[in-house]
Amino acid sequence: MPSTVFAPAELREGTLRVTPIGGLGEIGRNMTIFEYAGKILIVDCGVLFPEVDQPGVDLILPDFSPIRDRLDDVVGVVLTHGHEDHIGAVPYLLRLRQDIPLIGSSLTLALVEAKLKEHRIQPYSLTVSEGQTEKLGPFELEFVAVNHSIPDALAVFIATPGGTVLHTGDFKMDQLPLDNRITDLRAFARLGERGVDLFLVDSTNADVPGFTALERSIGPVLDSVIARAPRRVIVASFSSHVHRVQQVLDAAHANGRRVALLGRSMVRNMTIAAELGYLKVPENVLIDYKKAKDIPDDKIVYMSTGSQGEPMAVLSRMANLDHQIEVGPGDTVILASSLIPGNENAVYRVIDGLTKLGANVVHKGNAKVHVSGHASAGELLYCYNILKPKNVLPVHGEYRHLVANAKLARDTGVPEANTILAEDGTVIDLRDGVATVVGQLDLGYVYVDGSTVGEITEADLKDRRILAEEGFISIIIVVESATGRVVVGPEIHAKGFAEDESVFDDVKPKIIAALADAARDGIREQHALQQVVRRTVGRWVNTSYRRRPMIVPMVIEA
Amino acid sequence: MPSTVFAPAELREGTLRVTPIGGLGEIGRNMTIFEYAGKILIVDCGVLFPEVDQPGVDLILPDFSPIRDRLDDVVGVVLTHGHEDHIGAVPYLLRLRQDIPLIGSSLTLALVEAKLKEHRIQPYSLTVSEGQTEKLGPFELEFVAVNHSIPDALAVFIATPGGTVLHTGDFKMDQLPLDNRITDLRAFARLGERGVDLFLVDSTNADVPGFTALERSIGPVLDSVIARAPRRVIVASFSSHVHRVQQVLDAAHANGRRVALLGRSMVRNMTIAAELGYLKVPENVLIDYKKAKDIPDDKIVYMSTGSQGEPMAVLSRMANLDHQIEVGPGDTVILASSLIPGNENAVYRVIDGLTKLGANVVHKGNAKVHVSGHASAGELLYCYNILKPKNVLPVHGEYRHLVANAKLARDTGVPEANTILAEDGTVIDLRDGVATVVGQLDLGYVYVDGSTVGEITEADLKDRRILAEEGFISIIIVVESATGRVVVGPEIHAKGFAEDESVFDDVKPKIIAALADAARDGIREQHALQQVVRRTVGRWVNTSYRRRPMIVPMVIEA
């Protein structure tokens, strides 16, 4: 993947080494390694969700190889917030060393602990909050409040004798957030005065001009849709979006409706958020979904998962009439959510399915029911101007986002040489305020599939893509070991190629003839005979059908 | 697929039967059948492009079964314009009866004839233009100019004693189009006065509020991007978008640049468009791409295909450095094109690849370089109000688009009972100004894969999806026919499951044991033994790996 791999020199004394190993050139699996004086600090440890050309893969992890042999040097993992792309790989890291301390805000740690419980891991954790400072090995940390689409997100300032770093995590700068907890620009100003040698900054929306709209602008829209809804209302959103759910609860309450939570992760996360006080549940609003049936249709709101068209989530199942709540005419469905690139077809399929059942579907395409959780270009300019960082490393984004973010930095006066366009595995050394790229590691994707981690390879995925496009044909032939004479077969079976296996009657004599030729030429070795069969069938299928299925020949001696 | 299938009654004398067999509930394979007095008229005959869950499929055709036994009754196929989703299935229809007359405008027929030439079919064709009337069997036709993202598009008015129909084809209402050929609302008004019993109307943008922007608004943007480009400019667009290419030629010319066309379909279509006078090529602008290398970088514009991220098209190959034009720093790439849902990841991958090579990538996300070819809600309201149709059948769209279009019709006063929400295969009878749904045919997708048409089934696609997600494990065992004793195997091979086949050492003794048990129970039949193997391996793989690959057991007697 990386352009040119080269090994970094040994880390010199007094130098801080920064190596992002996930989240650059992709939206997901965010993870950065900081090394100073033999000790390692990690910021975030997330997962990436697979794309269409990675079929069957459940999750993609960062490649832990740069720290695999150094686990005892790790002083801790700072988790900036509780989204999967920042905490999802923690269980896989802790499988390697269970007592690595986790550092994060109270909501973040509660969410990661719930996840670890499913993996039967009890972590060592240290709860921190904004303004707090901590020292982990040689790393002096200060935590700064930032505002995002989940409460209690933190940026982290890291000071070492080699240099200082500010890592934003994911953030935006909503100036009127629901919890009044704004991104702390005063702290940014103060840290800027002190001097930030390297600024790691969220790039997700760097190519979006202007400013991200206020989360609270959605409330009145939800209220008016719910007020006019003649029957049931179903709202779908991310199950960690506490403030979005808060606004649904408030709008339902204002309209005299009860709310039932649907979906395992929605129930789990909102229970945690309510217990910790992040979600303020109006009295007598929540109701168990099993009891919701007894409530009149115009007095209920279902708050559900599945806003990205995930096939097994509540909303998709409703669209397929495969859920106990049968959507019908007069029902209103609100997708109060983003539309992540790659999910369009799945989401539109759900919208079409619900529309066909008679529902009125409200989504960000036809109403203001979603705002992003990331800072747009205008907000990022504020950051650069108030912080005045010496060097900038755009993180968290596809390559085009990193480039757009670097341009914003330059526009505010950061010299071009000091804006670093890195990728996963780029090694950056920081010393005396100078950031230098000193290496490029060769890192791969680590695929989780079922209970296996890292066993599925790129070659397997290539095979899967061929199988998906073309199916396979298997040919079995048993030959007499003494003579090489065909005694059974060719038996031919195919999957994903054609239903009617009589199409293969055509090629069987060709295989027999090719093997007879091979025998005449003295070819007896199994692999060579299989090649003969593969070539014969391959040529036939390409000529007759203009297709290239996988051909799996097996010549067996008996 | 369809909700409830029921066969229509026999067609009564004096009734016009209308059956859309493609394009409703999908964007593509548009095709409608009109039947009167035993004769059949077809409007459009397009293809649909497959989605991710239809892997390996090249094209999807309408299901021709309603006319397959009635081909001699077909009096002609009217083609409203030259896009693939309206003409792409013509070769497959003409394979069934080669002398079905094709009726269309001169550009439309030139494009379909070029396509048919590749299939070695010489069609019978009748060129028509706006204002012209023709009689085909019992169908009186009048053609009406409409404006779209390809020149020379036509709506068709169909009059029979059973009733009158206006079919828009694809259209918008650009009031200042490049060729001054506007959608002829005067004709719509006149036909409305005469009486339109059924209005088939493009729904693609019915859920987009307001009005589609002018095509000519793109020209100044292209001009300013090209004027500021320091090196080469590469523009990608659909290869049939004559007016978009026209604006690129004009902007290049105004900036003293030559233009080289890249991509087979771009060269073919623009040659046709120029020959017929639809593309006005400024003198001394076009240059063969082979000679373009000799021109200074700041004097050339490449006009290419691949705007949807198609992996084999020019632009993707450039992004992968797999094209003779090596994109580098200072080059400018303009995607003057739409972003069709489902193509996002492929397109963003191309944008990221080009950005990484150093190119400045301009696209509809960051500049006004694309407008749609379809009428938005505002334009559709004009149509309904000027036409005042008795009945409305929204066509060309996903279900949500059809619903949005039906709502617009109702908003202008068409009674709800007269707006028909149909799907592919819905049979509508028209008589005395009344439109009635009289049947629902059971139609399927017809898949083209390689040189096969209709041989790949839904079961094959299901197998392909399983193979893609999970790969397969094949187990071969040779048993002695007399005793049932295993003489060879189990030989186990897998694809897309795991690279290291030693993982199967674990399960081999289990298979041997299971077969021994089966032998003891007197099980000897091949299929039953294979089931034993399948169950044994399936249980093992699910327990050990939490995965469900396809298991292909083969027990052979020798």
Side-chain angles (χ1 to χ4, degrees):
Chain A
M1 215 80 61
S3 323
T4 316
V5 171
F6 63 107
E10 213 175 308
L11 183 55
R12 288 168 58 200
E13 218 186 288
T15 302
L16 172 63
R17 179 162 286 180
V18 183
T19 314
I21 64 168
L24 278 68
E26 62 213 357
I27 304 272
R29 62 167 194 163
N30 296 292
M31 184 164 178
T32 307
I33 301 168
F34 296 86
E35 181 178 0
Y36 186 81
K39 294 294 176 189
I40 289 169
L41 176 77
I42 294 168
V43 175
D44 289 330
C45 186
V47 292
L48 172 67
F49 294 101
E51 293 196 10
V52 166
D53 60 350
Q54 295 160 324
V57 171
D58 298 327
L59 296 171
I60 303 171
L61 308 182
D63 183 342
F64 295 149
S65 56
I67 51 166
R68 195 173 283 271
D69 299 330
R70 307 269 319 265
L71 290 166
D72 287 335
D73 299 329
V74 177
V75 296
V77 180
V78 172
L79 301 169
T80 58
H81 63 281
H83 279 154
E84 286 300 310
D85 56 334
H86 291 255
I87 66 168
V90 169
Y92 301 94
L93 180 66
L94 293 199
R95 276 193 203 174
L96 304 180
R97 187 191 133 199
Q98 201 157 330
D99 61 353
I100 298 177
L102 306 181
I103 300 102
S105 68
S106 104
L107 180 62
T108 305
L109 289 181
L111 291 172
V112 80
E113 279 161 11
K115 169 179 293 293
L116 286 166
K117 206 169 174 183
E118 292 171 9
H119 289 256
R120 290 179 205 161
I121 298 175
Q122 170 83 42
Y124 290 75
S125 54
L126 168 66
T127 306
V128 294
S129 53
E130 47 267 36
Q132 192 168 331
T133 56
E134 290 290 339
K135 193 159 184 346
L136 275 95
F139 304 96
E140 285 180 34
L141 309 182
E142 177 180 337
F143 298 93
V144 180
V146 293
N147 167 251
H148 185 41
S149 46
I150 186 169
D152 224 9
L154 292 169
V156 58
F157 178 76
I158 304 167
T160 70
T164 59
V165 174
L166 179 64
H167 190 317
T168 62
D170 287 359
F171 82 112
K172 61 176 171 176
M173 304 215 292
D174 193 328
Q175 294 300 298
L176 296 170
L178 255 63
D179 58 4
N180 297 318
R181 186 175 174 278
I182 58 173
T183 293
D184 188 356
L185 284 187
R186 276 195 181 191
F188 277 35
R190 176 173 48 77
L191 295 169
E193 291 278 351
R194 174 170 166 186
V196 171
D197 295 321
L198 184 64
F199 185 37
L200 278 72
V201 52
D202 178 6
S203 307
T204 314
N205 276 359
D207 63 349
V208 177
F211 293 79
T212 302
L214 303 180
E215 173 68 25
R216 69 171 68 211
S217 67
I218 294 170
V221 182
L222 292 174
D223 187 86
S224 99
V225 173
I226 293 174
R228 285 178 298 131
R231 284 189 65 202
R232 296 176 297 191
V233 175
I234 297 138
V235 187
S237 188
F238 279 115
S239 65
S240 62
H241 205 319
V242 177
H243 291 169
R244 195 65 49 85
V245 175
Q246 181 73 59
Q247 300 201 86
V248 173
L249 292 183
D250 294 344
H253 187 54
N255 286 284
R257 289 185 184 239
R258 311 281 303 262
V259 177
L261 303 176
L262 291 179
R264 207 170 56 94
S265 60
M266 181 65 74
V267 173
R268 186 191 67 185
N269 294 348
M270 291 308 134
T271 305
I272 291 172
E275 276 169 8
L276 296 176
Y278 295 99
L279 184 73
K280 320 266 184 236
V281 183
E283 213 173 324
N284 213 16
V285 157
L286 279 185
I287 181 170
D288 190 281
Y289 82 94
K290 287 182 203 123
K291 295 189 185 141
K293 284 187 288 296
D294 308 331
I295 290 192
D297 282 351
D298 61 349
K299 296 287 175 225
I300 186 78
V301 172
Y302 291 98
M303 181 73 232
S304 116
T305 57
S307 64
Q308 296 303 311
E310 306 91 324
M312 301 310 291
V314 172
L315 206 64
S316 285
R317 284 164 48 213
M318 282 182 183
N320 292 328
L321 280 184
D322 179 27
H323 191 273
Q324 58 200 101
I325 296 169
E326 287 188 17
V327 171
D331 287 339
T332 302
V333 180
I334 307 174
L335 279 85
S337 49
S338 66
L339 180 41
I340 294 176
N343 296 348
E344 288 83 0
N345 281 346
V347 171
Y348 288 134
R349 198 170 297 172
V350 167
I351 293 176
D352 282 320
L354 294 166
T355 305
K356 212 155 188 170
L357 294 174
N360 174 29
V361 185
V362 178
H363 53 90
K364 75 180 201 117
N366 58 23
K368 268 271 170 210
V369 289
H370 175 70
V371 300
S372 171
H374 299 272
S376 299
E379 289 149 85
L380 292 170
L381 291 174
Y382 271 77
C383 279
Y384 287 123
N385 281 328
I386 208 157
L387 197 69
K388 296 199 185 303
K390 284 213 188 74
N391 300 279
V392 171
L393 174 60
V395 295
H396 301 191
E398 304 276 1
Y399 198 78
R400 65 189 180 281
H401 303 130
L402 307 181
V403 169
N405 206 355
K407 185 176 179 307
L408 294 173
R410 290 200 307 276
D411 288 349
T412 63
V414 179
E416 173 147 15
N418 299 11
T419 61
I420 303 168
L421 277 171
E423 46 197 312
D424 292 343
T426 302
V427 183
I428 298 148
D429 275 2
L430 194 63
R431 188 191 178 86
D432 299 330
V434 179
T436 317
V437 171
V438 298
Q440 176 63 54
L441 309 180
D442 184 13
L443 301 180
Y445 288 121
V446 175
Y447 298 111
V448 177
D449 188 353
S451 60
T452 67
V453 179
E455 290 187 18
I456 287 293
T457 63
E458 299 298 336
D460 287 314
L461 292 185
K462 191 176 168 196
D463 282 344
R464 288 182 181 182
R465 287 191 293 263
I466 293 171
L467 290 168
E469 294 280 311
E470 303 278 2
F472 73 88
I473 300 176
S474 75
I475 307 102
I476 299 149
I477 293 154
V478 181
V479 296
E480 205 172 53
S481 53
T483 62
R485 198 171 55 84
V486 173
V487 290
V488 179
E491 274 211 38
I492 306 188
H493 300 284
K495 284 287 180 183
F497 177 76
E499 281 301 270
D500 177 6
E501 298 203 334
S502 72
V503 299
F504 299 118
D505 292 348
D506 235 25
V507 73
K508 284 179 185 173
K510 292 183 212 289
I511 298 170
I512 301 274
L515 286 175
D517 285 353
R520 231 186 350 263
D521 297 346
I523 300 172
R524 291 295 295 281
E525 197 263 321
Q526 183 196 32
H527 184 74
L529 292 173
Q530 288 182 171
Q531 279 300 95
V532 168
V533 174
R534 186 195 310 275
R535 262 201 309 275
T536 306
V537 177
R539 204 175 296 140
W540 168 78
V541 75
N542 189 19
T543 311
S544 312
Y545 295 94
R546 301 222 319 265
R547 279 159 64 185
R548 299 186 173 279
M550 185 180 283
I551 293 165
V552 189
M554 281 174 280
V555 176
I556 296 167
E557 289 199 348
Chain B
M1 217 78 62
S3 324
T4 318
V5 170
F6 62 107
E10 213 176 307
L11 183 55
R12 288 168 58 201
E13 218 185 290
T15 302
L16 172 64
R17 178 162 286 180
V18 183
T19 313
I21 65 168
L24 278 70
E26 62 212 357
I27 304 273
R29 65 168 193 161
N30 295 292
M31 184 164 177
T32 308
I33 301 168
F34 297 85
E35 182 179 0
Y36 186 83
K39 294 294 175 188
I40 289 170
L41 176 76
I42 294 168
V43 174
D44 289 330
C45 186
V47 291
L48 172 67
F49 295 100
E51 292 194 11
V52 168
D53 61 348
Q54 295 160 323
V57 171
D58 298 327
L59 295 171
I60 304 170
L61 308 181
D63 185 341
F64 294 150
S65 57
I67 51 165
R68 196 173 283 272
D69 299 330
R70 306 267 319 265
L71 291 166
D72 288 335
D73 297 330
V74 177
V75 297
V77 181
V78 171
L79 301 168
T80 58
H81 63 282
H83 279 154
E84 286 300 310
D85 57 334
H86 291 255
I87 67 168
V90 168
Y92 301 93
L93 181 65
L94 293 200
R95 278 192 201 173
L96 305 179
R97 187 192 133 200
Q98 200 157 331
D99 62 351
I100 298 177
L102 306 181
I103 301 102
S105 68
S106 102
L107 180 63
T108 305
L109 290 180
L111 291 172
V112 80
E113 280 162 9
K115 171 180 292 294
L116 286 166
K117 206 168 176 183
E118 292 170 9
H119 289 256
R120 289 180 206 158
I121 297 174
Q122 169 83 42
Y124 289 75
S125 54
L126 169 64
T127 307
V128 294
S129 51
E130 47 267 36
Q132 192 167 333
T133 58
E134 290 290 338
K135 194 159 185 343
L136 274 96
F139 303 98
E140 285 180 35
L141 309 181
E142 178 179 338
F143 299 92
V144 181
V146 293
N147 168 252
H148 186 40
S149 47
I150 187 169
D152 224 10
L154 292 168
V156 57
F157 179 76
I158 304 166
T160 69
T164 59
V165 175
L166 179 62
H167 189 317
T168 62
D170 286 359
F171 82 113
K172 61 176 171 175
M173 304 215 292
D174 192 328
Q175 294 299 298
L176 295 170
L178 257 62
D179 58 3
N180 297 318
R181 186 175 174 279
I182 57 172
T183 292
D184 188 357
L185 284 186
R186 276 196 181 188
F188 277 35
R190 174 173 50 76
L191 294 169
E193 290 280 351
R194 176 171 164 185
V196 171
D197 295 320
L198 184 66
F199 185 36
L200 278 72
V201 52
D202 178 6
S203 307
T204 314
N205 276 359
D207 63 349
V208 177
F211 293 78
T212 302
L214 302 180
E215 173 67 24
R216 69 171 68 209
S217 67
I218 294 169
V221 182
L222 292 174
D223 187 84
S224 98
V225 173
I226 292 175
R228 285 178 298 129
R231 284 188 65 203
R232 296 175 296 190
V233 175
I234 296 138
V235 187
S237 186
F238 278 116
S239 65
S240 61
H241 204 320
V242 178
H243 289 168
R244 195 64 49 86
V245 175
Q246 181 74 59
Q247 299 200 89
V248 173
L249 292 183
D250 293 345
H253 187 55
N255 287 284
R257 289 187 184 237
R258 311 282 302 263
V259 178
L261 303 176
L262 291 178
R264 208 170 56 93
S265 60
M266 182 63 74
V267 173
R268 187 191 66 185
N269 293 350
M270 290 309 135
T271 305
I272 291 171
E275 275 169 9
L276 295 176
Y278 294 99
L279 184 73
K280 319 266 184 237
V281 183
E283 213 172 324
N284 213 18
V285 157
L286 279 185
I287 180 169
D288 190 281
Y289 82 94
K290 287 182 205 124
K291 295 188 186 141
K293 284 187 290 293
D294 308 331
I295 290 190
D297 282 352
D298 62 349
K299 295 290 174 222
I300 187 78
V301 172
Y302 291 97
M303 181 74 234
S304 114
T305 55
S307 64
Q308 296 304 308
E310 306 91 324
M312 302 309 291
V314 173
L315 206 64
S316 285
R317 284 165 47 214
M318 283 182 184
N320 292 329
L321 280 184
D322 178 28
H323 191 274
Q324 57 199 100
I325 297 169
E326 287 188 16
V327 172
D331 287 338
T332 302
V333 179
I334 308 173
L335 279 85
S337 49
S338 65
L339 181 42
I340 296 176
N343 296 348
E344 288 82 0
N345 280 346
V347 171
Y348 288 134
R349 197 169 299 173
V350 167
I351 292 175
D352 282 321
L354 294 167
T355 306
K356 211 157 191 172
L357 294 174
N360 174 29
V361 186
V362 178
H363 53 91
K364 76 181 202 116
N366 58 24
K368 268 272 171 209
V369 289
H370 175 69
V371 300
S372 171
H374 299 272
S376 300
E379 291 150 83
L380 292 169
L381 292 173
Y382 271 77
C383 278
Y384 287 122
N385 281 329
I386 207 157
L387 197 69
K388 296 198 184 305
K390 285 214 188 74
N391 300 279
V392 171
L393 174 60
V395 295
H396 301 191
E398 304 276 1
Y399 198 78
R400 65 189 181 281
H401 303 131
L402 307 181
V403 169
N405 206 355
K407 183 175 180 307
L408 295 173
R410 290 201 307 275
D411 288 348
T412 63
V414 179
E416 174 147 14
N418 298 10
T419 61
I420 303 167
L421 277 172
E423 46 197 313
D424 293 342
T426 302
V427 184
I428 298 148
D429 277 0
L430 194 63
R431 187 191 178 88
D432 301 329
V434 179
T436 317
V437 172
V438 299
Q440 177 63 53
L441 309 180
D442 184 12
L443 302 180
Y445 288 121
V446 175
Y447 298 112
V448 177
D449 188 352
S451 60
T452 66
V453 179
E455 291 187 16
I456 288 294
T457 63
E458 299 297 335
D460 287 315
L461 292 185
K462 192 177 167 195
D463 282 344
R464 288 182 181 184
R465 287 191 293 263
I466 294 171
L467 289 169
E469 293 280 312
E470 303 278 3
F472 72 88
I473 300 176
S474 76
I475 308 102
I476 301 147
I477 293 154
V478 182
V479 297
E480 203 174 55
S481 54
T483 61
R485 196 172 57 84
V486 173
V487 289
V488 179
E491 275 212 38
I492 306 187
H493 299 284
K495 285 288 179 182
F497 177 76
E499 280 299 272
D500 178 7
E501 299 204 333
S502 71
V503 299
F504 300 119
D505 291 348
D506 235 24
V507 72
K508 285 179 183 172
K510 293 184 209 288
I511 298 170
I512 301 274
L515 285 175
D517 284 355
R520 230 184 353 261
D521 297 346
I523 298 173
R524 291 294 297 279
E525 196 263 319
Q526 183 197 31
H527 184 74
L529 292 174
Q530 290 182 168
Q531 279 300 96
V532 168
V533 174
R534 187 194 310 277
R535 263 200 309 273
T536 306
V537 177
R539 204 175 296 139
W540 168 79
V541 75
N542 189 19
T543 311
S544 312
Y545 296 93
R546 298 221 322 262
R547 280 160 63 185
R548 300 186 173 280
M550 185 179 283
I551 293 165
V552 189
M554 283 175 280
V555 176
I556 296 166
E557 291 197 346

